[in-house]
Structures are given as structure tokens and as C-alpha cells.
Amino acid sequence: MKKILVANRGEIAIRVMRTARKMGIKTVAIYSTVDRNAPHVKFADEAVCIGEAPSSESYLLGSKIIEVAKKVKANAIHPGYGFLSENADFAEEVEKNNIIFIGPKSKAIKIMGSKLAAKDAVKSYDIPMVPGIEEAISDVAKAKAIAREIGFPILIKASAGGGGKGMRIVEKESDLESQMQRAISEAISAFGDGSVFIEKYISSPRHIEIQVMADTHGNSIHLFERECSIQRRHQKVIEEAPSVVLSSSLRAEMGEAAVRVAKACDYIGAGTVEFLLDENHNFYFLEMNTRLQVEHPVTELITGIDLVELQIKVARGEKLPFTQDELEIKGHALELRVYAEDPLNDFLPSVGHLDIYKIPSGNGIRVDNGFEEGMDIPIYYDPMLSKLITYGKTREEAIQLMSKAIDNYSIEGVQTTLSFGKFVCQHEAFTSGNFDTHFVKKYYTPDVLKAEMESEAKIAALIALQQYKEDQKIVRLPIH
Ligand code: MV4
């Protein structure tokens, strides 16, 4: 593999190219017209413009991207996350053109793209699942009977949904009919597939996911968990590894279950198996993400493994260079997603010009970044600016470092979620580890953030005043 085309933009395109370069592999960037001066374009050895700003006219043009790959003689395509990364047809077309798709086979992507197909695939693999049904349902009377059996509240989910889209909680039987009709029509309009199913609603879960890796020689391993419960409207805010709530035996059990999920769909490459963990520490399989995830760096920091390097090695047909027993967790890592969004204004995208953009650095600090000072933030794509990742011997150390690193960002021109990240890091429920997926809803209002920002501004003003007084003393001295 001499040349990889990265079919993505922003921080993940750069992150992938960094490892390719380290391995002596040439890199090709693709870009849309608004991205012509973007950092990922400058970073690549070669770059090709593939269309206009809207993703549908550029980063989502699978056939065009394949044409470009052939023209520049790239041997492989890395899709990053988002865009074409979980498009089974794209993966298949890439391979048909004798280009290596750095990711799983199309079949695995297809199975895991449908929640019902996923349940069906894993059912003989002894995977704990949320009580519910395993097939699409449209008959209301039947749904009522099932709901009565599993007990309210229940959750209606769209089979083609993901990331919380198309979910409806039903508290009581009298609401079931209308909610089901809404769920079905929503699923038809959003996904073109009206299949819905029913599960028991787990009311206060934690979201724990397991990183898995499989080679083409039949070896599958897991790289422990990431805790992703701190999220806002299904958008993850802070992720960490390891989770504070897993005992080593539960970790091993969940890890082994995740590996079985991977085996159930003949998985190859890097994947993530999502679980819900209830208050009694029962875990349930939710879905599998068949891509490298945004939050993969926390796993890299606690295992010392470069996941992109592993993806590339597996794609080249190499064996995994270690066994499960050789892996261990060392230290603790946190990741904050820094978005150009205004936490005081319902997290509305705050796109604009990056007048000042300075990122922190230092021991235990990693910033996976896709922007630079002086750039405009395009309105066409995800407004994530960078990922601030910190690593410490202990969780406390990683949290302290995160708080400090947040202060060492300097961004002007747009609002960001940095202050919101600080709020989370300082919150007792977060520092104590006693939280679930409802953390943000439960504790966050713009007012608490405002109050915190004002008191910090006051402290900063007092420090400045103190310093000013000290400076005055010094300059007066020589006069005497
Ligand atoms: C659930 C659930 C409770 N009970 N399933 C949301 C995203 C999708 N991956 C599955 N999700 C959930 N499924 C049952 N049976 C609660 C959620 C959920 C959630 C899951 C993970 C992280 C954040 C979440 C926020 C709200 C709801």
C-alpha cells in the first residue's frame, strides 16, 4: 500500500494522514471548493478538488471519489467517520475497482446499518439484549400485548435509525397507538423504511462502548471500553476511558460479548460495539458502529496503540500484532469535543471567522485539530473545531489537565463549547463518576454556565488588579 486517499475533511482527515505518513505511505486529500485552503488539503502530499461546498456535491460523491482514487493511483481509501464511512454500497464499489476499503466488508456494514438485522445476526451468539421484540411491528394490538408483557415504559425504535433518531418513549398503553403511528411515519420520511420495533425502556442507563479490532486471519480482540454517557441530544460531549463503573470482571465480560458481536458479522478492521448499562450493572447490546469513531483517541491513549495504524495493517492483510492477553489499560484519558456552538444560546452553530485560534499543548495533552487562525468555518459541515484529549495516571489528573487545557485555548470570532466542557469537568456528578446519560438534561442550564463564567471573570479581574498594584510598587522603587 503506497498511497491512501482520505475521503474526508477536518481533523479526522489529518489524523489519518499523520499515521499514513509515519508508515511511509503517501496521502491524497479530496476537498470541496470552500475547503481549498483547509488544513487537511495543505497537510496531504496531493489534493484533488471534487466539487462544490454541499457534501452531496463533494464529500458524498462516492463514484467520483473512486474515479479520483484511480486517477492518482491510490491503492486504498480511508473513509474517516461520517460521510461515506458507513455506506455499504460505497465500500463495495471501492473493492470492485480493486481499491482497498480501509474498513469492514460491505456485508458487515449492511447488517449493522439495520438494528433488526443486527439483532438477528447476533442472536445465536449469547449477547445480552434489552427485553423486547426482534422483528418489525405495525399491528397496534400486537404491540400492546407485547408492551404489556415487557412492562411500561417502552421505547419504539426505528430499525434504520441511529444516534437516537426515530426513538419514542411510551409511558402508558393509551399513548401507544398514536406514538407508534408517529414513529412509523417519521421512520418512513427520515430513512425510507418504516420498520419499527419495541424494547423495554432502560430509564437511567450509562452508555458504554467497546472498541474491537479484527484481522483477516480470524483474530478478533477488544481494546476495552469508552464511557460516553455525557451527551446532549445524542451528541457526545465528553468521552473517557476507562469507565469508572466497570469492574475488571464486567469489563472482560462486556469485551468478550463485543468480540462475539464482531464475529457474528464476520467483522474486519476497527469497530465499536455499543451497550447500555443499567443501574444494576446489567448490560445490553444496542448497535455496532462500523467505522473509526470520533472518540477513538481515548482508547489510543490508555492502550498505547495507534488505531489507524492497526486499520492500515489489517487492510494490508497483516495479522493483529498482539493478543488479547498482551493488552492492558494504563492511565486515564478524557476527550472534549470543541464545537463552534453557543452553549448560552441552545448550542446553535456559531459559524464565522476564527480571528484568534490558539490551541493548548504540553505533557498529557493531545489536540486533534482541523482548523487554523484566520479561517472561516464553513456552514456546510459539522462545526467541530477540534478534540481536546488529556491523559493522566489517574482520572483526577486527566480532569485537572482538561480544565487547565481548556483555559489555555484562545479562540475569538466564534462562540465555542469550551466553557460548557469546563462546567462538566467541575461538576460534582462528573468528578464523582456518579452520572448517566441524563447528566446534561439534569444539571445544565445556560444560567449556571453564565454564573460560572461571571465568577471566573471576577477572579481574573481581581488577579489583574493585584498584579497591577504589585507592578506599581516595583516601578516606584528606583525613585527613592
Ligand atoms: C435505549 C435507551 C433506553 N432503553 N434503548 C439512543 C441512541 C441509540 N444508540 C440508542 N439510544 C438509547 N436506547 C432502550 N431500550 C436509551 C437510549 C439513549 C441513549 C443511549 C446512549 C447514549 C445516550 C442516550 C441518550 C438518550 C437515550
Side-chain angles (χ1 to χ4, degrees):
M1 197 184 288
K2 293 202 171 68
K3 202 190 256 194
I4 295 177
L5 180 147
V6 181
N8 216 298
R9 64 182 301 282
E11 67 85 18
I12 193 63
I14 296 172
R15 190 264 163 273
V16 169
M17 291 192 273
R18 215 180 274 290
T19 289
R21 180 161 298 159
K22 178 181 86 180
M23 296 170 79
I25 300 169
K26 292 274 181 245
T27 57
V28 184
I30 56 166
Y31 63 96
S32 70
T33 48
V34 275
D35 274 344
R36 68 174 71 79
N37 296 315
H40 81 280
V41 174
K42 295 182 195 162
F43 192 89
D45 296 314
E46 262 176 271
V48 181
C49 182
I50 41 144
E52 297 301 316
S55 312
S56 59
E57 296 170 36
S58 51
Y59 297 104
L60 288 173
L61 292 177
S63 302
K64 181 142 191 203
I65 292 168
I66 292 168
E67 284 316 307
V68 169
K70 289 203 282 197
K71 202 147 110 205
V72 300
K73 298 191 161 49
N75 322 94
I77 294 180
H78 194 300
Y81 53 71
F83 296 125
L84 294 163
S85 61
E86 292 177 285
N87 185 318
D89 295 336
F90 176 67
E92 198 174 314
E93 203 187 327
V94 170
E95 302 265 274
K96 272 197 190 131
N97 282 279
N98 286 319
I99 299 168
I100 297 168
F101 180 76
I102 304 179
K105 295 284 163 242
S106 161
K107 188 193 94 172
I109 301 176
K110 207 172 271 167
I111 291 172
M112 292 305 168
S114 153
K115 296 214 174 59
L116 286 171
K119 276 180 194 269
D120 192 58
V122 307
K123 73 171 176 242
S124 59
Y125 284 79
D126 190 26
I127 308 296
M129 310 243 241
V130 186
I133 48 165
E134 264 114 79
E135 73 245 61
I137 188 165
S138 53
D139 184 306
V140 176
K142 216 162 138 193
K144 281 186 180 170
I146 289 158
R148 237 174 268 145
E149 209 173 296
I150 60 185
F152 286 93
I154 57 129
L155 194 58
I156 306 175
K157 292 186 177 180
S159 178
K165 267 179 277 170
M167 289 187 356
R168 285 182 174 269
I169 303 168
V170 184
E171 304 280 355
K172 52 188 193 299
E173 188 169 321
S174 56
D175 294 341
L176 201 145
E177 180 160 7
S178 64
Q179 291 289 52
M180 204 165 125
Q181 264 143 18
R182 266 189 224 162
I184 292 171
S185 61
E186 225 174 73
I188 291 171
S189 65
F191 316 113
D193 171 6
S195 311
V196 302
F197 60 97
I198 292 173
E199 280 183 354
K200 172 142 198 71
Y201 177 61
I202 311 292
S203 59
S204 307
R206 297 176 77 117
H207 173 151
I208 310 264
E209 58 185 34
I210 309 276
Q211 177 71 52
V212 296
M213 195 77 216
D215 66 20
T216 52
H217 303 267
N219 306 301
S220 313
I221 52 105
H222 70 85
L223 295 109
F224 314 110
E225 78 280 7
R226 293 185 288 261
E227 159 84 63
C228 306
S229 300
I230 308 289
Q231 53 80 43
R232 185 191 156 272
R233 298 194 190 160
H234 305 294
Q235 173 88 266
K236 291 166 185 165
V237 176
I238 290 194
E239 302 101 344
E240 62 178 311
S243 163
V244 291
V245 284
L246 296 202
S247 63
S248 51
S249 61
L250 183 54
R251 174 170 298 122
E253 217 186 307
M254 290 179 76
E256 284 156 24
V259 166
R260 289 198 301 277
V261 170
K263 291 196 163 139
C265 63
D266 297 319
Y267 203 81
I268 294 168
T272 298
V273 182
E274 287 187 15
F275 294 101
L276 287 182
L277 187 72
D278 72 16
E279 303 102 320
N280 302 319
H281 292 189
N282 299 305
F283 66 92
Y284 310 96
F285 169 61
L286 266 190
E287 53 194 85
M288 181 173 192
N289 301 316
T290 57
R291 60 171 188 273
L292 183 72
Q293 291 200 230
V294 176
E295 60 271 27
H296 76 277
V298 293
T299 299
E300 297 188 315
L301 291 182
I302 63 152
T303 58
I305 288 165
D306 180 335
L307 288 171
V308 175
E309 184 179 338
L310 267 192
Q311 284 188 298
I312 292 172
K313 285 183 169 166
V314 163
R316 290 197 300 216
E318 294 171 33
K319 282 188 179 160
L320 288 176
F322 43 74
T323 61
Q324 188 70 58
D325 304 338
E326 288 163 346
L327 292 171
E328 61 172 345
I329 298 177
K330 216 174 141 221
H332 201 99
L334 296 179
E335 174 180 282
L336 169 67
R337 300 187 186 190
V338 183
Y339 281 95
E341 291 175 349
D342 186 357
L344 297 180
N345 190 13
D346 205 27
F347 293 84
L348 282 179
S350 173
V351 288
H353 188 256
L354 282 173
D355 298 324
I356 296 181
Y357 186 68
K358 302 222 170 3
I359 60 180
S361 63
N363 248 344
I365 294 172
R366 164 174 165 182
V367 181
D368 282 13
N369 178 42
F371 283 82
E372 63 191 19
E373 200 164 285
M375 264 179 79
D376 285 315
I377 300 165
I379 55 165
Y380 300 95
Y381 318 111
D382 183 272
M384 191 176 77
L385 295 173
S386 54
K387 306 186 300 205
L388 170 59
I389 307 130
T390 62
Y391 176 76
K393 282 196 286 296
T394 62
R395 184 170 188 265
E396 292 65 38
E397 213 178 293
I399 294 176
Q400 281 309 311
L401 204 49
M402 176 68 73
S403 276
K404 232 173 62 188
I406 289 171
D407 292 340
N408 289 332
Y409 261 95
S410 178
I411 303 181
E412 274 172 36
V414 297
Q415 300 300 317
T416 75
T417 52
L418 279 169
S419 55
F420 178 63
K422 184 107 183 235
F423 160 80
V424 176
C425 285
Q426 291 175 341
H427 200 283
E428 196 274 335
F430 181 70
T431 55
S432 68
N434 183 21
F435 56 84
D436 59 35
T437 53
H438 303 300
F439 175 92
V440 177
K441 200 167 50 190
K442 252 194 222 156
Y443 302 117
Y444 177 72
T445 65
D447 291 338
V448 286
L449 189 60
K450 252 184 230 159
E452 252 176 48
M453 284 159 87
E454 271 160 25
S455 82
E456 277 201 19
K458 263 183 206 153
I459 292 165
L462 283 173
I463 293 169
L465 182 63
Q466 202 61 37
Q467 191 61 45
Y468 174 76
K469 285 179 179 162
E470 291 294 316
D471 292 349
Q472 291 299 315
K473 281 182 206 157
I474 295 164
V475 284
R476 278 201 201 104
L477 280 176
I479 299 170
H480 292 281

